[in-house]
Amino acid sequence: GGGGGGSGARRRMKRFRASKFRLAEARPARKEAWIRGIRGSSPAASGNHIKTSRRWIVFNTDSAGVLGMVPLECQDGDKRPVSELRCHSGVVADFDFSPFDDQLLATCSAEEVVKVWRLLDSGPDVSSSPKVALGPEGSQVGMVLFHPTADGILASGAQKAVKVWDVEHQQPLTELEPHGDLLQSLAWRPDGALLGSSCKDKMLRIFDPRAGPTACQSVQAHGSGRDSRLLWVNSTGSLLSTGFNEVREREARLWDTRAFHGSLASVTLDASPRPLMPLLDLDIGLLVLMAKGEDVLFCYEVLPGQPALSEVAQCRTESKAHGIALVPKPALDVLACEVMRVLQLTDNAVVPISYTVPRKSLQEFHEDLFPRCTGNVPGASARAWWAGDNGQVQRISLHPAHPPHPAFTSACIPSLLPESRALEPLPVEGQMEELDLSAGSSLSSPTGSLTSPLSATSGFASSPSQRSLQSILGPSSGFRHIQGTVLPRGTHFTNLKGLNLTTPGECDGFCTNRRRVAIPLLSAGGQVAILELSKPGRLPDTSMPTIENGAPVSDLCWDPFDPERLAIAGEDAKIRLWRVTPEGLQKSLVEPEAVLQGHTEKIYSIKFHPLAADILASSSYDLSLRIWDVRSRRQALLLKGHGDQIFSLAWSPNGRRLATVCKDGKVRVYEPRKSSESLQEGPGPEGGRGARIAWVCGGHSLLVSGFNSHSERQLSLYRAEFLADGPVARISLDVSPSTLIPFYDVDTGLVFLTGKVRGWLAWPSEPRGRRPSTLCSVLPGGRWVGAPVSISSGPQKRSSLGWKRPPSAGSREALPPVAAPPKAPSVFRGAVSLSCWLDLAPKSLGRLWKAQRPGRGCRGPPAPRAPASPLCPIFRATPESS
C-alpha cells in the first residue's frame, strides 16, 4: 500500500511540477531609463495603444490621427528622438507591426481605410513615409492584425465585419460572415491556419479563412458582453480570453478548441470596471494583464497541460497606464536572465518593466529559460499561403554567441531610401495620368517646384523625409538648400490678446502689406486690430484702437495700390472699405469709407485685382462670384456656374482670368471680360473639406491644395490651358484637419505652405501681389531671399528665409530681378506700367540687370496698362497682346 501511495505522489508531482518561472520578479526601470519627452494617450478604442518591433516603439498621442515613434534601442545613452506619424484625420483606433519587417506598420481609424506604412528612419515628422491604402471598408475600422507566418497577410475588423487582405496587391482575399454584434478582438493561431474573434454578443468564434467565410466553431465565452479579448496559447488549439462575468467581475478563461463546450480553467481578478489588456509570451507561457487607467500589473503562467492559470507576481507602477506592449525577444538581456520585458505607456513616458528569474550565475546563458523563438523570415508569401501553403517561421536561438539574423524587407512596400530616390520625368502631354507620390517618389519637369510642406518644428526647415519629395520642376534647384530662421525677439509683436482663431477656413486669418498687419479679434462687432510693422515689441496691456466692422469678419485684404485702404468682408453679406491714416490707427473707426452690397448670403473671400486699381472680386454662400468697381461702389460683373461652396479664388498674374476651386469637385477658370460662364472646368480635389488655389509658373499653371478621398492633404498641379485633362502631377502629403494655404513667390518660383492649426503665414503685399523679395534684408553676399510673417496665439513673429550657399557670383540666381514698386500717386491710380525692374543683388555681384533679362523663375515684365477710367479696362475685352 505504501508503495502505491508513493507512486501516486510521484505522478502528481510530475503533473504539477514546480515551474521555473514561479519566482519571476517584475522590476520597473529606474526613472533615468524611462523614455521621456512623449505625450501618451489612450483613446476610446480596443487596442493596446503601444506596439513594438525590433527597431521601433509606436504609441498613441494626445493629438488625433498622430502616432508617436521612438527607437527601441538607445544609442550610447543619448536621448531618443521622438518622431510623429500623421496617419489619419481622426483618432487612430489600432495599429500593428509586421512580425517580419520592422519598418512595416498598419494603422486604422474611423476613416474606413487601413493604411500600411514603410516607416522612414529619421526626422521629426515621418508622415511622408511610403504607404498603401486598403479599402474603403464601408464602416469604421477598429482593429488590424498581421499574419504570424505569411508575409503581407493582414486581417482587419470594422464594426461586425472581418476582412483578410493581401497587402502587396492591395486587395481583399476574403470577407468573413458578419458577427452578431460589434467585434472586440482578433487573434491568429500561431501556425496561421485559423483566425479567432471575440464579440460583444459574448461569443468566441473560430474561422478558417481559406476554407470559407463561415465560423467553424463558436462558444459563449463570458457572462457579460463588455470588452473581451482573445489570445491563442499554442498551435494545438488552446485559447485564452479575458472579459467580465455575470456579476461584472474581471476574469480570464482558458479554452481548448478540441473541447469547445466550456472553459478548462478560469481565474477571477476583481470588480474593476476597466477592461483588461492581455499580453502573452507564447514561448514561455507568461501572461501579463493590465487595464487602462490602472497601476497594477498582473502576471500569470498559462499551463494548458494541467490546465491552470497560476499567479506569478503582481507589480505596482508609479503611473497610470494608457497601454502596454511586449518587447521582441531579441532585445532582452538574456545574460541577466530577463525572460520578458513589458513597456507601459503613461502620460509623459514609456516605462520598461523587466521580468527576471533569479539564478546563481548571471553570466551564463540558461537554455531552459530561453527556448528557441520565432525568427523574422516568413514561412510563406501571401499568395502561397492563400493557395494552401502552411510553411512555418523558422525558430532561432537567443544565445549571444549566435550571429544576429539579418533584417527582412517585405515586398508589400518596396524599401526606398530617401536620399537616393531617382527623379522621374513628367509624363508627356497625351500620356498624363494621376501620379501619387505618397510613396515618396518624385517628378521632374523643366519649370517650377512642388515640395513637401513645412516641418512640425519651428521655422521652415525641411526634415530628411520631406527632402525626399524633390522639386517636380527640376532636380538641381538653386533653392534646394533653403532654410528658415526666426528673426530676433525684438522684431516680434508680443502681448497680442484676444486673437480670433475661428475665422472661416476660406480666410487666411490675417493680412499684411508693406506697412501694417490687420488681425481680426475675438470680440463682438467684428473688431480688427492694426499693427504698424515699423513698431514691433510688446503691445500695451490697455485696449488698442480697432476697426469696428459691425459684423463678424469672414475675410479681409489690403488694397495693393493703396496701403491705407483695407477691405473687410462680413458675415452680413457686406464688404466694407476702411481707411487708416498714414500715421496709423490713432482712434477706433466705426464708419467705413464705403460699403459694397449685392451678395445675399455670407461672403467667403475677397481678392483685389493684381494690376488694375479699384477692382475687387468676392465669393459668397449664395454661390456667386462678383466683381466690383470699388470707385463707383457698384457691382460690375456676376460670374455663375458653381454648384456648391467656393473654397478659394485667385486672379491670374496678368489679371485677365480668375480661377476658383469648389466643393462640387471642380476647378474652374473664368475670363470675366468675355463671359459670365467658366472658360474651362477640370476635376478638383476629391475631398470636400476645403481647398486653396494659386496661379504659378507665370500664369501657365494652377496649384491646388486640398484633400483626397482618404482625408490626406494633397497638392495638385494643373496646366491652365488643359484643365479638363486633370492634374499633371499630384503629391499626397500627410493627414491633418487644416487646409494648406499656398503662398507663391513669382520671382523665385517657391511655394510656401502652412495650415491654420499651427499658425498662419502671409507675404507682405506689393503692387504686383505678394512680393517678399522687396522686403528682405539683403546682406553682403546675397544671403536673404524673403521675409514672411507668421502669427500664432502667442506672440506674432517674423521669419526670414535664409539661403545657405556661400557668397559668390553664383548666388545671383537666388535674387532674380523683381518689379520695382510703382511711385505714388500714379501707382495708386493703377495707371503706371510695371515694366521697370529692380535688381536686389548687392553691388559686389554686378550692375543692375535690365528689364529684358528677368531672372530664372521670374515671370517677366507685364504688358503696359491703360490708365484707369471710371470703369477700368479690365471689364472690357482687349486684344491678346494687351
Side-chain angles (χ1 to χ4, degrees):
S7 174
R10 284 192 295 272
R11 285 195 299 271
R12 287 193 296 273
M13 289 295 293
K14 182 176 181 181
R15 182 181 177 189
F16 299 103
R17 62 182 181 273
S19 167
K20 50 182 169 288
F21 299 106
R22 73 186 188 281
L23 300 179
E25 300 175 348
R27 297 178 179 176
R30 299 189 306 273
K31 289 189 176 181
E32 295 79 15
W34 291 10
I35 304 171
R36 295 186 176 275
I38 69 167
R39 306 187 316 275
S41 179
S42 54
S46 60
N48 284 8
H49 312 301
I50 180 171
K51 293 288 180 69
T52 64
S53 71
R54 295 171 181 84
R55 291 193 61 181
W56 300 106
I57 304 170
V58 172
F59 52 89
N60 278 104
T61 69
D62 56 5
S63 299
V66 179
L67 294 178
M69 189 173 82
V70 295
L72 178 64
E73 298 295 338
C74 183
Q75 299 296 328
D76 301 326
D78 294 337
K79 182 180 179 181
R80 301 183 216 204
V82 180
S83 303
E84 287 186 347
L85 176 65
R86 303 175 185 276
C87 45
H88 296 277
S89 60
V91 173
V92 181
D94 195 19
F95 47 95
D96 191 40
F97 273 108
S98 165
F100 313 113
D101 190 331
D102 301 330
Q103 303 289 96
L104 216 60
L105 179 73
T107 64
C108 67
S109 76
E111 293 175 347
E112 305 182 7
V113 174
V114 175
K115 297 180 182 179
V116 183
W117 306 77
R118 174 164 297 284
L119 300 177
L120 296 174
D121 287 329
S122 60
D125 191 337
V126 296
S127 305
S128 58
S129 298
K131 65 180 180 298
V132 297
L134 310 177
E137 293 265 19
S139 57
Q140 299 179 2
V141 187
M143 57 199 68
V144 287
L145 186 66
F146 274 105
H147 195 276
T149 65
D151 178 37
I153 294 292
L154 181 74
S156 66
Q159 302 289 327
K160 301 179 182 181
V162 177
K163 287 184 180 180
V164 179
W165 296 87
D166 180 347
V167 177
E168 182 178 1
H169 295 88
Q170 303 177 36
Q171 63 183 22
L173 297 175
T174 184
E175 181 173 358
L176 306 182
E177 67 174 359
H179 288 63
D181 209 324
L182 295 180
L183 194 66
Q184 293 179 333
S185 71
L186 291 173
W188 287 103
R189 199 168 77 174
D191 63 1
L194 301 177
L195 179 65
S197 69
S198 65
C199 181
K200 194 176 180 180
D201 62 5
K202 309 178 187 179
M203 301 295 290
L204 299 182
R205 294 175 173 84
I206 308 299
F207 296 87
D208 185 347
R210 294 177 293 185
T214 306
C216 53
Q217 288 181 284
S218 62
V219 68
Q220 181 172 332
H222 299 277
S224 172
R226 296 190 62 185
D227 194 0
S228 64
R229 303 287 185 91
L230 179 66
L231 295 173
W232 289 87
V233 176
N234 53 39
S235 295
T236 60
S238 297
L239 288 166
L240 184 133
S241 66
T242 62
F244 294 82
N245 60 20
E246 296 85 347
V247 293
R248 298 187 177 181
E249 293 175 317
R250 297 190 297 189
E251 64 177 1
R253 290 179 173 269
L254 187 62
W255 307 81
D256 191 332
T257 55
R258 294 167 294 185
F260 212 30
H261 50 79
S263 61
L264 303 180
S266 66
V267 59
T268 301
L269 277 74
D270 51 34
S272 171
R274 296 184 175 93
L276 294 167
M277 295 179 288
L279 299 174
L280 178 64
D281 187 318
L282 292 171
D283 300 312
I284 60 178
L286 288 185
L287 170 70
V288 173
L289 301 172
M290 198 173 195
K292 289 184 286 186
E294 295 186 353
D295 58 359
V296 178
L297 198 63
F298 301 93
C299 183
Y300 290 84
E301 185 175 7
V302 182
L303 303 169
Q306 294 189 6
L309 294 170
S310 175
E311 185 173 0
V312 175
Q314 285 190 24
C315 172
R316 188 171 295 274
T317 60
E318 293 190 26
S319 305
K320 307 289 186 182
H322 287 306
I324 53 175
L326 281 180
V327 169
K329 283 297 192 68
L332 300 179
D333 186 356
V334 295
L335 295 184
C337 296
E338 183 187 30
V339 295
M340 184 171 64
R341 190 187 309 163
V342 176
L343 298 181
Q344 178 197 19
L345 177 65
T346 67
D347 287 331
N348 52 23
V350 174
V351 182
I353 303 170
S354 294
Y355 283 82
T356 59
V357 175
R359 289 290 171 96
K360 291 182 179 180
S361 174
L362 295 180
Q363 299 301 321
E364 297 179 3
F365 179 73
H366 299 274
E367 293 190 9
D368 60 326
L369 297 181
F370 300 100
R372 296 174 70 85
C373 64
T374 54
N376 64 336
V377 178
S381 66
R383 290 295 183 182
W385 176 81
W386 185 245
D389 188 347
N390 290 317
Q392 297 300 298
V393 179
Q394 283 191 334
R395 304 185 74 82
I396 60 174
S397 172
L398 297 178
H399 199 294
H402 293 184
H405 291 263
F408 173 81
T409 301
S410 172
C412 297
I413 305 177
S415 179
L416 202 57
L417 297 176
E419 300 299 330
S420 61
R421 293 172 187 169
L423 297 172
E424 301 171 4
L426 194 68
V428 297
E429 188 174 351
Q431 298 177 347
M432 296 178 184
E433 58 183 9
E434 177 176 315
L435 299 172
D436 187 357
L437 303 188
S438 60
S441 62
S442 47
L443 305 169
S444 66
S445 105
T447 56
S449 86
L450 196 59
T451 60
S452 176
L454 310 178
S455 70
T457 58
S458 61
F460 309 101
S462 61
S463 68
S465 63
Q466 292 164 337
R467 288 197 299 269
S468 65
L469 293 173
Q470 298 290 341
S471 166
I472 68 165
L473 302 170
S476 58
S477 168
F479 300 98
R480 65 186 181 277
H481 298 303
I482 198 168
Q483 215 176 30
T485 304
V486 177
L487 292 183
R489 188 176 178 82
T491 65
H492 301 179
F493 289 93
T494 59
N495 200 34
L496 183 56
K497 300 177 181 178
L499 284 175
N500 185 2
L501 302 180
T502 60
T503 52
E506 295 77 25
C507 175
D508 290 353
F510 77 117
C511 65
T512 71
N513 63 10
R514 301 187 303 276
R515 303 178 186 177
R516 301 179 178 92
V517 182
I519 304 172
L521 300 180
L522 191 61
S523 57
Q527 296 187 30
V528 177
I530 305 296
L531 306 181
E532 299 291 323
L533 289 175
S534 60
K535 300 176 182 178
R538 179 181 173 83
L539 300 177
D541 293 323
T542 58
S543 60
M544 300 182 300
T546 60
I547 294 176
E548 298 181 9
N549 190 58
V553 176
S554 57
D555 197 13
L556 70 172
C557 65
W558 291 100
D559 187 333
F561 301 106
D562 186 344
E564 274 78 47
R565 184 159 65 178
L566 177 68
I568 300 179
E571 294 186 2
D572 58 355
K574 297 178 182 179
I575 302 173
R576 294 172 174 85
L577 300 173
W578 302 85
R579 182 162 297 279
V580 180
T581 61
E583 298 78 22
L585 202 61
Q586 304 298 320
K587 62 179 182 178
S588 294
L589 299 182
V590 294
E591 290 296 330
E593 180 184 65
V595 179
L596 306 179
Q597 298 186 62
H599 286 293
T600 58
E601 295 188 45
K602 173 183 171 181
I603 296 173
Y604 292 129
S605 55
I606 53 177
K607 291 285 188 300
F608 274 103
H609 195 278
L611 298 180
D614 300 322
I615 302 302
L616 181 70
S618 63
S619 62
S620 165
Y621 275 83
D622 60 17
L623 306 185
S624 69
L625 193 62
R626 300 171 191 254
I627 299 179
W628 305 85
D629 181 354
V630 175
R631 179 177 302 178
S632 63
R633 304 179 186 180
R634 67 180 182 85
Q635 175 185 309
L637 294 173
L638 174 64
L639 307 182
K640 304 176 182 179
H642 294 92
D644 208 327
Q645 178 182 353
I646 305 170
F647 284 139
S648 178
L649 61 92
W651 289 101
S652 62
N654 61 12
R656 289 169 41 214
R657 295 181 178 181
L658 194 63
T660 66
V661 57
C662 183
K663 192 175 182 179
D664 62 8
K666 297 290 186 180
V667 175
R668 295 175 173 88
V669 170
Y670 290 83
E671 193 157 353
R673 296 176 297 182
K674 289 186 176 180
S675 173
S676 62
E677 301 294 334
S678 60
L679 183 67
Q680 290 194 70
E681 285 189 6
E686 299 174 2
R689 298 175 53 190
R692 293 299 182 96
I693 192 167
W695 293 83
V696 297
C697 304
H700 300 295
S701 301
L702 286 165
L703 178 70
V704 176
S705 75
F707 297 84
N708 62 17
S709 58
H710 299 157
S711 297
E712 296 172 316
R713 294 198 290 193
Q714 194 175 68
L715 296 182
S716 303
L717 187 65
Y718 297 78
R719 290 184 177 173
E721 299 298 329
F722 305 98
L723 276 186
D725 295 341
V728 297
R730 180 170 283 167
I731 294 178
S732 297
L733 299 172
D734 59 8
V735 177
S736 177
S738 62
T739 305
L740 284 172
I741 306 172
F743 296 91
Y744 178 67
D745 179 27
V746 296
D747 299 310
T748 61
L750 295 178
V751 177
F752 298 89
L753 301 133
T754 185
K756 287 170 64 175
V757 171
R758 294 184 177 269
W760 305 313
L761 177 113
W763 292 123
S765 298
E766 288 293 323
R768 290 184 59 207
R770 298 183 176 95
R771 311 296 301 176
S773 300
T774 60
L775 286 191
C776 66
S777 297
V778 184
L779 304 180
R783 296 181 65 91
W784 302 106
V785 296
V789 177
S790 63
I791 192 169
S792 66
S793 56
Q796 181 186 341
K797 301 179 180 179
R798 285 197 219 174
S799 302
S800 70
L801 293 172
W803 194 51
K804 295 177 64 177
R805 180 177 295 178
S808 67
S811 298
R812 179 184 294 276
E813 65 182 84
L815 297 165
V818 300
K823 307 300 181 181
S826 56
V827 166
F828 302 141
R829 296 198 307 267
V832 170
S833 167
L834 299 183
S835 58
C836 176
W837 291 77
L838 173 67
D839 191 353
L840 294 178
K843 294 181 179 179
S844 60
L845 294 182
R847 293 184 295 178
L848 293 178
W849 288 358
K850 302 298 183 182
Q852 292 78 13
R853 190 185 173 190
R856 194 179 82 173
C858 265
R859 59 184 178 183
R865 290 177 296 137
S869 63
L871 187 61
C872 182
I874 188 68
F875 296 129
R876 297 198 298 269
T878 58
E880 293 297 320
S881 59
S882 67

